Amino acid sequence: MPAGEVHLLRRRLRTALTAGSPAVGTFVKLASPDVVELAAAAGFAFVVVDLEHSTLTEQNAVDLVRHADVCGLPALVRVPVVDAAAINRLLEAGAAGIQLSMLTRIAQVEALMAATRFAPAGRRSVSLANRTARFGAVPLAGFLRAEQEDPPVLVGQIETARTDPLADLLAPVDVCFVGSTDLAVDLGLPADPSVLRAAVDRVGRAARSAAVAFGGWAPTREAARDLGLGDAGYLVVGSDLQMLAAGLRATAGEGNQ
């Protein structure tokens, strides 16, 4: 019996990252499983369950990635720090990958690799009593082989102007995600957009040099190019909360016209 559906979803996402057009996803900040089901029906390539800038709990995240897996939608989880035990629980629940915020040091990406890879590539603890391993229906050798062939997708967020050498920092990850909002603040909120654009372009060049996909966040697809994300392979557009708020404002405004 093959391992879980999540391995196929990881493979599909990695393929989409090199397809020549952006794989488009959105942040999920609401606990309702309807959100990921709607995202799948709308045609998003992935979602990122946000454990950094939301009130979601780990249990909420587990429920969301499980539902996304059932819907055939790759769900990554954004985490603010590498918590190996929590990351293992999320991966066992069906997370397609992990997106790590504020990546600045090689030690962080080494810890991320260790937490998401089984020995000898990492130090992740092994169990078959989880849905990714079909609750023990997959033999250990088959599960380890599936994890080796289609490991969790790793996304590193570059959000500061000063980091360890980007070539070394980005080499182990699948996606270099430029956090343009935090980067703008780190640069002192430059009034001249060209300052931020130059910093984004520098990160993009580093990603291409490291042979990893380049990505980032934009409030809309139209805004991506102005943010330096015109050639992004991994594009996160808005969030469920942002889209809900925009729709509510637009509908409420209709009554005032």
Side-chain angles (χ1 to χ4, degrees), residues 78 157-160 177-187 189-190 196-197 199-200 203 214-219 223-224 226-229 236:
R78 176 162 73 169
Q157 292 191 190
I158 305 300
E159 305 178 83
T160 58
F177 180 100
V178 61
S180 53
T181 303
D182 278 296
L183 183 56
V185 174
D186 189 60
L187 291 168
L189 281 177
L196 175 60
R197 179 61 184 269
V200 171
V203 176
F214 178 55
W217 176 87
D226 289 340
L227 290 172
L229 299 171
V236 181

Side-chain angles (χ1 to χ4, degrees), residues 67-78:
H67 196 69
D69 190 34
V70 170
C71 293
L73 180 68
L76 297 91
V77 182
R78 176 162 73 169

Side-chain angles (χ1 to χ4, degrees), residues 224-246:
R225 186 168 299 278
D226 289 340
L227 290 172
L229 299 171
D231 62 345
Y234 177 94
L235 182 62
V236 181
V237 177
S239 71
D240 52 359
L241 268 179
Q242 177 186 333
M243 296 177 207
L244 176 61

Side-chain angles (χ1 to χ4, degrees), residues 27-29 48-57 61 64 76-80 101 157 239:
F27 280 122
V28 174
K29 301 172 183 286
V48 183
V49 177
D50 193 355
L51 284 182
E52 182 187 23
H53 292 296
S54 77
T55 59
L56 294 175
T57 65
L64 289 165
L76 297 91
V77 182
R78 176 162 73 169
V79 296
S101 298
Q157 292 191 190
S239 71

Side-chain angles (χ1 to χ4, degrees), residues 10 17 27 30 50 60-61 67 80 89 93 99 104 111 119 121 130 141 173 197 210 222 233 238 249 252:
R10 292 171 183 170
L17 293 175
F27 280 122
L30 297 171
D50 193 355
N60 293 150
H67 196 69
R89 290 190 292 269
Q99 183 159 323
T104 61
N130 60 75
V173 302
R197 179 61 184 269
E222 293 73 20
R249 285 192 294 265

